[in-house]
Amino acid sequence: MGLTSRSLLYTVVFVAVLCVGLTVWLWPRLSGRGALPVLGRLGSILVTQLAIMSVVLLAVNSANSFYGTWGQLLGRYDRSPGQVTAITGAADGTVDTAKGGGLIRPASSQSGDRMGLPDGPKDQVGTVESVRLVGRRANVVEPAFVYLPPQYFQKQYERQRFPVIVAISGYPGGIDNLSKYLQIPKTASELVAAKKMQPTVIVMLRPTIAPPRDTECVDVPGGPQSETYFTKDVPEAMRSAYRVGHDASAWGAMGYSSGGTCALELAMRQPSVYPAAAALSADYKIKNDLTTGNLFGGGEEGKQREREHDLIWRLGNLPAPKVSVLVTSSKKGEKNYKETEKFLKAVKEPMLASKMILDEGSHNFTTWRREISPSLEWMSKQLVFPQDVNS
């Protein structure tokens, strides 16, 4: 039985119930004095507690896929990079460049060991700036990290606009997860130095704009306007503060877990803003739950909004967008594998898709770190660089 299988969970639940029943039934016989009754009571308590804790731990792991297989539970991980299988190529588009956003910078930028970058001048190693992004339409001010490659500060590139990757963390994680655990600045720096990735600006964001509520990149009727924030406020703020591409062909979104879901949703719903998306362990539809509240409103309009956030439904019922996407999963250990295969089968022209399917993985950073380097390389090939400052 697999570590995340329902059969294992149901078996352990049965064992736990049996242990509790036997303890209650046998307790009067173990109530006497002496070594054997005392050992019997201690043993029954220990076995019952272990059985109950096993049920809790299996249920939590099954819900979150922290460990996908018995091998991973024992610490046997394959840490080699995943391989991208290209089904087709890339897409492009255009974008509205109206002004209105902005960034609030701190007194100094942050770089060095905490962000994974080596010590040195900016024009040799790049830097990471900690900023607050002003979303005027969504009426929020959100924290962000912005990775700037060394070429951004070099004289030969001073008249070039750089491509942008909008990297989105999972929920409830924050931007520190992208820099510390997923190691995006460090990985991008190494890929750029090895000429496996073109110089790219990366802005790292969390998926919610109304914490602790999980807003899932949705414009909530009468509530937080997350889609507006990601598709209008973020591009405008970045263009107002940095030399980044004005055309959508220079823009892509990526993320892991719910951040990957956001990236896919943004690309397929707003292809003129994000014509490329890479999604690590994403879901393919957004649903209401305890963390989200009601995202779509009531009545038939609410039901239709919810259907439109089901990406497989969109592919079957609406024209396919002109976007290029990369999706990842694992044959063993990840719940989204079957849905990933279903999504890929539903893709149709002009939409283009690639995949990275591991033999074994989990819903955790050990798996995503195997995928981040090839995902960044794939994304780099989708984005146009350079764009002249005068364009």
Side-chain angles (χ1 to χ4, degrees), residues 2-15:
L3 183 59
T4 59
S5 66
R6 291 193 176 188
S7 57
L8 176 63
L9 179 60
Y10 294 156
T11 299
V12 176
V13 168
F14 173 78
V15 171

Side-chain angles (χ1 to χ4, degrees), residues 147-163:
Y147 164 74
L148 300 171
Q151 290 82 358
Y152 188 89
F153 305 98
Q154 295 171 5
K155 186 173 179 60
Q156 61 266 41
Y157 292 95
E158 64 183 5
R159 298 195 59 78
Q160 303 300 326
R161 297 190 185 277
F162 288 75

